[in-house]
Amino acid sequence: MTSGEYLKQLEKYLRKLPQSDYEDAMEYFTEYFADAGPENEQAVIKELGTPKQAAAELMRNLLDKKVDEREAMEKEEKQKEKKKTTGANVVWIAILALFAAPIGAPILISILIVLLCAALCAALLDMSVFLIAVVGVTAGIKMLLRGILAVSVSFGGFCFITGMGVFMLGISILCAVFGVYFAKWMGRLFVWCTRKVTKKGGSRS
């Protein structure tokens, strides 16, 4: 196998990466072969392993890099940088790394089923929380309006109904905030589980 054939096969495994990461990866491997020279092509191919193994290793390293970048950006509040690493990109690379990991098909299918069920439960829970928040906001606004209308009848009733409306609005806002952070935590948990699985799979190979 020549370096050109190797890179062509490698391209198939890396094509689903985000565009910038795909271009950087292909540029890295192309330069790696160019620096080694034609006389060392076979030695480089032996060092890298098969194109599938090289792609899996790169995705594991890329996932670790993206997670570290994400954590650093959150700490330093650099969310508006030009090459911002979004949570969606990290999760997508985690999925690709999971499929590229050298794990047997039955084990991979079992892991995917477990993760899918967990993601579905988390999504339903998150949707329920947001639904509670929407209902709470609606009910809170309605009670505030009723409290305002009741002020001419009973000041005590006005205070009670208005207070309940404000309370429900506060609870609803907390539910909405919890829903947002819960979704982020679930994404991070998925990425963490994927890193553990891919690292174990890589160590076995």
Side-chain angles (χ1 to χ4, degrees), residues 41-53:
E41 275 187 3
Q42 297 307 313
V44 171
I45 291 174
K46 186 177 180 181
E47 176 188 345
L48 294 175
T50 65
K52 185 175 182 180
Q53 290 173 338

Side-chain angles (χ1 to χ4, degrees), residues 18-202:
Q19 186 64 28
S20 60
D21 296 317
Y22 164 76
E23 292 175 355
D24 291 343
M26 291 305 301
E27 182 181 355
Y28 167 77
F29 283 108
T30 302
E31 290 182 355
Y32 196 71
F33 275 106
D35 292 340
E39 65 278 5
N40 295 317
E41 275 187 3
Q42 297 307 313
V44 171
I45 291 174
K46 186 177 180 181
E47 176 188 345
L48 294 175
T50 65
K52 185 175 182 180
Q53 290 173 338
E57 180 66 23
L58 181 135
M59 287 180 185
R60 284 195 296 270
N61 294 334
L62 183 60
L63 177 60
D64 290 339
K65 178 184 174 184
K66 291 294 181 181
V67 171
D68 292 339
E69 284 181 1
R70 179 70 175 173
E71 291 174 352
M73 286 168 62
E74 287 180 351
K75 290 178 182 178
E76 298 172 7
E77 297 181 354
K78 292 182 178 179
Q79 300 294 340
K80 294 184 179 180
E81 288 183 1
K82 188 176 181 181
K83 289 189 175 180
K84 180 172 66 172
T85 300
T86 62
N89 275 349
V90 175
V91 172
W92 177 241
I93 293 173
I95 294 172
L96 293 177
L98 183 60
F99 276 101
I103 304 172
I107 299 177
L108 178 60
I109 292 173
S110 301
I111 293 172
L112 288 175
I113 291 174
V114 171
L115 290 177
L116 181 62
C117 292
L120 182 60
C121 293
L124 290 174
L125 179 60
D126 213 30
M127 288 175 61
S128 300
V129 171
F130 279 112
L131 186 60
I132 292 172
V134 172
V135 172
V137 168
T138 304
I141 293 174
K142 190 174 181 180
M143 292 191 73
L144 282 176
L145 293 176
R146 284 188 176 181
I148 293 172
L149 294 175
V151 67
S152 59
V153 179
S154 170
F155 183 74
F158 160 75
C159 293
F160 176 76
I161 297 174
T162 304
M164 287 297 296
V166 172
F167 175 76
M168 292 189 72
L169 284 174
I171 293 295
S172 301
I173 293 171
L174 288 177
C175 285
V177 173
F178 172 78
V180 172
Y181 279 97
F182 181 75
K184 289 184 178 180
W185 293 332
M186 288 300 100
R188 290 177 180 175
L189 180 60
F190 174 81
V191 172
W192 181 83
C193 291
T194 303
R195 292 176 75 182
K196 291 293 183 182
V197 171
T198 54
K199 284 180 179 179
K200 286 183 180 179

